Amino acid sequence: MNEMYDDCIALLEERGVTLKDIVDCVVYLQKDYIANIHEIDIEDIVKSVIRKREVQNALMTAINIDIQVDKGAFGNETIQNIIRVDEGLYGIDEVMAYGICNLYGSIALTNYGYIDKVKPGIIGKLNDHDAGQCNTFIDDIVGAIAAAAASKLAHSHSK
């Protein structure tokens, strides 16, 4: 299981995403609700989300779809173009992200919807489409991981 975790971290880093980037998104989501948020080891919470097998499977599948589109190896040209341009009505990238959120409850899902709308930090950077690589799936997966970690944090600091 550690090997899959390491593979996930390596894939994220190869695509320009660090754990700190995800931590920053978690802080963005929870800073108004947790007074001492900068004293909490949020990186450990993010790591615990990524250690879940379901999250690893979604992350590895999603990023590999983006990579195949980059290589022009996805197969069907129509679907490859839809994914490459991140067509608004495609939605499969969000559906994959929901799978992660569903592991962490309704707050994860609402956090994901919010972070997907406002696109702070790395999520906005990935969604920019000027990076020269397909980020259709990774931006949603990173948002879902951040939303799940924010949910886990909120549950552990609820009043």
Side-chain angles (χ1 to χ4, degrees):
M1 180 124 136
N2 255 351
E3 185 177 325
M4 274 187 73
Y5 172 82
D6 293 341
D7 288 347
C8 288
I9 296 301
L11 271 173
L12 286 166
E13 289 175 354
E14 286 170 22
R15 302 301 279 184
V17 179
T18 65
L19 285 173
K20 184 184 179 326
D21 292 327
I22 301 172
V23 166
D24 290 345
C25 291
V26 174
V27 170
Y28 179 85
L29 287 168
Q30 290 297 301
K31 67 183 181 319
D32 294 337
Y33 307 103
I34 299 174
N36 63 336
I37 195 161
H38 295 291
E39 298 170 19
I40 299 168
D41 189 353
I42 296 170
E43 186 171 306
D44 275 351
I45 298 169
V46 170
K47 287 178 180 179
S48 74
V49 170
I50 298 172
R51 283 192 191 340
K52 284 192 78 66
R53 178 59 66 108
E54 296 94 331
V55 174
Q56 293 171 351
N57 290 338
L59 185 152
M60 292 178 79
T61 301
I63 293 175
N64 276 288
I65 291 171
D66 285 344
I67 290 168
Q68 294 308 308
V69 169
D70 280 343
K71 292 178 179 178
F74 198 72
N76 181 284
E77 190 64 31
T78 302
I79 193 67
Q80 182 157 308
N81 285 333
I82 288 169
I83 296 169
R84 182 182 306 113
V85 300
D86 198 3
E87 205 169 274
L89 294 177
Y90 177 62
I92 303 303
D93 46 337
E94 283 87 4
V95 171
M96 193 175 290
Y98 298 159
I100 293 172
C101 296
N102 285 336
L103 298 169
Y104 290 91
S106 59
I107 189 172
L109 193 56
T110 58
N111 274 331
Y112 170 73
Y114 177 70
I115 206 166
D116 189 47
K117 179 73 174 160
V118 299
K119 300 187 186 321
I122 189 66
I123 297 167
K125 193 173 177 181
L126 291 168
N127 194 63
D128 191 9
H129 303 293
D130 291 334
Q133 69 183 26
C134 178
N135 291 325
T136 298
F137 281 83
I138 192 174
D139 66 326
D140 294 296
I141 293 299
V142 168
I145 292 168
S151 173
K152 196 169 180 177
L153 177 63
H155 282 288
S156 68
H157 285 81
S158 64
K159 296 177 182 180

